[in-house]
Amino acid sequence: MEPWLVVAVVAALILGVVVLYNRLVRARVRVDEAWAQVDTDLQRRHDLIPNLVATVRGYAGHERAALEAVVETRARALQAGDPTAREAAEDELGAAIGRLLAISEGYPDLKADAGFRDLADELAATEDRLAFARDFANHRVATYHELLGTFPSVLVANAFGFERRRLFAVDHAGARRAPEVELSSGGAA
């Protein structure tokens, strides 16, 4: 066998490993970017909650249990460390927010308050953004997993220790949708 042929084959193999390694790194970075967007949207939701609670408290202060549930679940969500605990805490927070918004239905003055309506609209928009960001992140994770599992990139992934990433999954049906808020004033048109 010619020495130049051996060098060419080795160079092609090295080039192939480099190309596959770079594709895996790019896919992993895209997954991290997508999850960073989810974190940004979660933080936005967390930032809206104190204002929402304060507004509801002004009109429905005696609904203490619902208000405390939102505050407590928000605190747990902010403190959750690992992704599984964070998902569970965020699901619980979404359910608590939904209950708080449902309580607002019984208070016409609260529903008529422009500040409350603005907060509820912003929260609904944030929930929509969050749902989109989670779907996008799951898509990025799936694409990354495809790369990890297909030949020949699976060889490079195993050799360099690329690990699978978590998909976002909702455990209960109530967290699968943003809370619905009816903001009609109920008055004569």
Side-chain angles (χ1 to χ4, degrees):
M1 185 178 279
E2 297 293 324
W4 64 268
L5 185 60
V6 172
V7 170
V9 168
V10 170
L13 286 174
I14 290 172
L15 180 63
V17 168
V18 168
V19 167
L20 289 173
Y21 179 84
N22 287 341
R23 281 184 65 200
L24 287 162
V25 169
R26 276 192 302 276
R28 185 175 59 195
V29 166
R30 288 183 182 130
V31 166
D32 292 342
E33 287 174 342
W35 281 118
Q37 183 59 50
V38 170
D39 284 340
T40 298
D41 290 335
L42 287 172
Q43 186 60 50
R44 178 181 165 91
R45 177 170 74 168
H46 289 212
D47 292 346
L48 289 170
I49 291 170
N51 294 333
L52 185 67
V53 168
T55 303
V56 172
R57 184 176 287 135
Y59 287 93
H62 61 281
E63 300 285 357
R64 187 174 181 161
L67 293 167
E68 286 178 359
V70 171
V71 171
E72 289 170 7
T73 56
R74 176 183 180 264
R76 281 195 297 276
L78 287 170
Q79 293 173 354
D82 67 275
T84 303
R86 183 145 190 210
E87 277 181 29
E90 292 296 341
D91 288 348
E92 188 180 342
L93 178 58
I97 292 169
R99 287 189 300 274
L100 182 65
L101 292 173
I103 286 171
S104 72
E105 290 298 312
Y107 296 91
D109 289 342
L110 174 60
K111 288 176 23 178
D113 182 89
F116 174 76
R117 284 194 319 266
D118 290 346
L119 284 169
D121 288 346
E122 199 166 335
L123 182 62
T126 299
E127 292 292 338
D128 289 344
R129 288 173 52 160
L130 186 54
F132 175 80
R134 286 173 171 167
D135 287 346
F136 184 73
N138 279 342
H139 173 73
R140 291 289 193 180
V141 170
T143 301
Y144 176 63
H145 287 176
E146 286 175 11
L147 234 117
L148 291 180
T150 57
F151 186 81
S153 59
V154 66
L155 301 174
V156 175
N158 289 339
F160 289 99
F162 284 85
E163 296 178 357
R164 294 179 68 84
R165 297 295 176 92
R166 296 187 73 253
L167 287 166
F168 177 81
V170 177
D171 290 334
H172 61 83
R176 293 185 190 275
R177 57 180 160 56
E180 293 181 23
V181 181
E182 174 59 45
L183 296 176
S184 63
S185 63

